[in-house]
Structures are given as structure tokens and as C-alpha cells.
Amino acid sequence: MKRKKLVAGNWKMNLEINEAIHLANDIKAARGSFNCDVLLIPSFLFIADVKHIVYATGIHLGAQNCSIYENGAYTGEVSAKQLKGAGVEYIIIGHSERREHFGENHNVLRQKLEIALKYGLKPIFCCGEPLDVREAGKQKEYVLKQLQESLFGLTAKDFANITIAYEPIWAIGTGLNATPEQAQEMHAFIRKELADKHPIALQMRIIYGGSCNPANINELFGCPDVDGSLVGGSSLRSKDFIAITAAAK
Ligand code: PEP
């Protein structure tokens, strides 16, 4: 089954406004070379500027988080509805940094998935095991539990709007990427488990994240079940990010 690759840049809490504008413009200038879907995921603060830059270019816009609440007295929160209204299309849910630093458990993630889907945002649901779990050979059980807890109750229509990001925690920001064999094994496993629930999962994109760079991306993109990449560090350097998009055929 042919799935168009997605290369997504998660800028996290990096960059100043002028740097974000510069980076978005550099990526926009390269758009003629893209053979994949390209997604920029800036800080909330830069969404309006980046939207203005990528408007009508085919480059997609995402956000890194949303509130579990609809609206109201929740100081500091940003709602899914507000994001949709601001032109955001994709939303990261379940990133390991939010699970770890902000205590987001499966109840919270489930609420975020539901509210994001309700307002027409496309979740990028992140899953992946820590190092001790990988060393114990229990990565499949660990990831399956993450999928079961947050995704298994959703409908086929919901699945059609979700992208999965397999991100082994030991590979995020460490320079240690999964080997193509490790990535392929986990992506095929995730796809099978989801397809047993809803066959539409055969069409879902399962992207890989964890220290992707121009030197390791060709091998990873050569895996039949790797449908793109969620890129952290390398997405902050336009040359590297554009090189990663070039590897996606
Ligand atoms: C991420 O945080 O989603 C990520 C993949 O980061 P990095 O590419 O820096 O490992």
C-alpha cells in the first residue's frame, strides 16, 4: 500500500521569533523539491507568523500541545478549537517529553486525542519505550500498552485522521537512532496491532522519530513501514531538514 511520506519538524521550545521566521522562509524556498508532505511545528508563539509564511505553499502547520479543556478559565492553556481557528492542521499528542516532564498519562492523552479530533485537528500520537525496556527486550509489550490505553477505543474514522510516531525514548535527542531493522520491526508491529482493530490502519502513516539526520535517514526511509519522520534537533537547521525531506521519495 502506497503511503506518502510525512517529514515533520518539531521545533520544541527553541528559536526566537526572527530565527523561526528565517527557518520557515528557508524551508518555504525549498518547497519545489518536496516529494513528501512537509509539516512545521513551531512554538504556539510563532504559529501566526509561520502560517503567514507557508500560506498556500502546501507546507503544513502543526502545534506541539493542546488543552484537555474546551475553553474558559484555564490560565496558560491553549485549546484545540483556538488552534484550529489559527490555521493549525496537525497536533502532537503523547510526546515522551510531555509524558515525562508534565506527567501526561493515558487519561490525559485520551482526552487530548478526543478534543483534537472533535475540532478537526490531526493528531500525531507518539509512542516508544525507554532504554531499560529496550534492554529487557520488552519494547513491543510497552508500546502495545500505550496504543491500547490511548487509541484502541477510537473509531476507524478517528484512525484515518491519526499519524503514529514511533519514538524510542533512548533515541530522542541522544544521537543514538534505532537501526532500520529495529524501526521496521516496531513499525510493522504497530501497524498489525492497529489493523487488527481497524483495517484502515494499513493506510495510516507511522513515522519514526529519534535522532534523525541527513546521514541516517536514507536507510530508515528504506524500510517499508517507515512513512516519514518526526524530526527534533535536525529540524532547527534548514539545510539538514531539507536534506531529510529530499530522502523521502
Ligand atoms: C523528537 O523530540 O520528537 C525528536 C525526534 O527529537 P530528535 O530528532 O532531536 O531526536
Side-chain angles (χ1 to χ4, degrees), residues 10 12 95 97 167 171-175 209-212 230-234:
N10 174 13
K12 308 192 185 185
H95 194 284
E97 289 158 10
E167 299 205 301
I172 296 178
T174 59
S211 296
C212 289
L230 182 55
V231 188
S234 293

Side-chain angles (χ1 to χ4, degrees), residues 15-157:
L15 308 173
E16 300 293 319
I17 182 69
N18 56 330
E19 295 168 323
I21 288 172
H22 199 91
L23 181 55
N25 273 314
D26 280 356
I27 293 163
K28 175 182 171 179
R31 69 190 181 282
S33 68
F34 296 158
N35 286 313
C36 58
D37 287 331
V38 171
L39 167 63
L40 304 183
I41 314 175
S43 137
F44 289 139
L45 275 180
F46 311 148
I47 281 175
D49 293 278
V50 174
K51 184 195 166 195
H52 184 70
I53 292 165
V54 302
Y55 179 74
T57 62
I59 297 172
H60 302 269
L61 183 62
Q64 299 172 20
N65 186 27
C66 71
S67 177
I68 59 172
Y69 300 109
E70 293 264 344
N71 69 293
Y74 299 103
T75 302
E77 289 288 273
V78 176
S79 75
K81 188 177 181 190
Q82 289 172 325
L83 291 169
K84 184 69 181 176
V88 166
E89 192 182 350
Y90 288 84
I91 177 124
I92 299 176
I93 294 177
H95 194 284
S96 62
E97 289 158 10
R98 295 218 56 92
R99 293 180 194 254
E100 183 186 343
H101 302 304
F102 303 95
E104 294 193 358
N105 60 22
H106 62 91
N107 279 328
V108 169
L109 300 181
R110 185 54 188 262
Q111 290 177 75
K112 290 192 176 190
L113 280 165
E114 282 174 4
I115 205 154
L117 288 163
K118 174 174 175 183
Y119 286 103
L121 296 171
K122 297 177 185 163
I124 298 178
F125 180 77
C126 301
C127 56
E129 77 286 355
L131 186 59
D132 59 329
V133 171
R134 167 63 65 168
E135 284 173 346
K138 300 267 188 242
Q139 59 275 10
K140 286 186 179 160
E141 290 92 322
Y142 189 94
V143 168
L144 179 58
K145 190 157 181 287
Q146 291 179 319
L147 301 177
Q148 278 167 342
E149 287 173 342
S150 297
L151 298 182
F152 271 23
L154 299 175
T155 65
K157 187 161 164 263

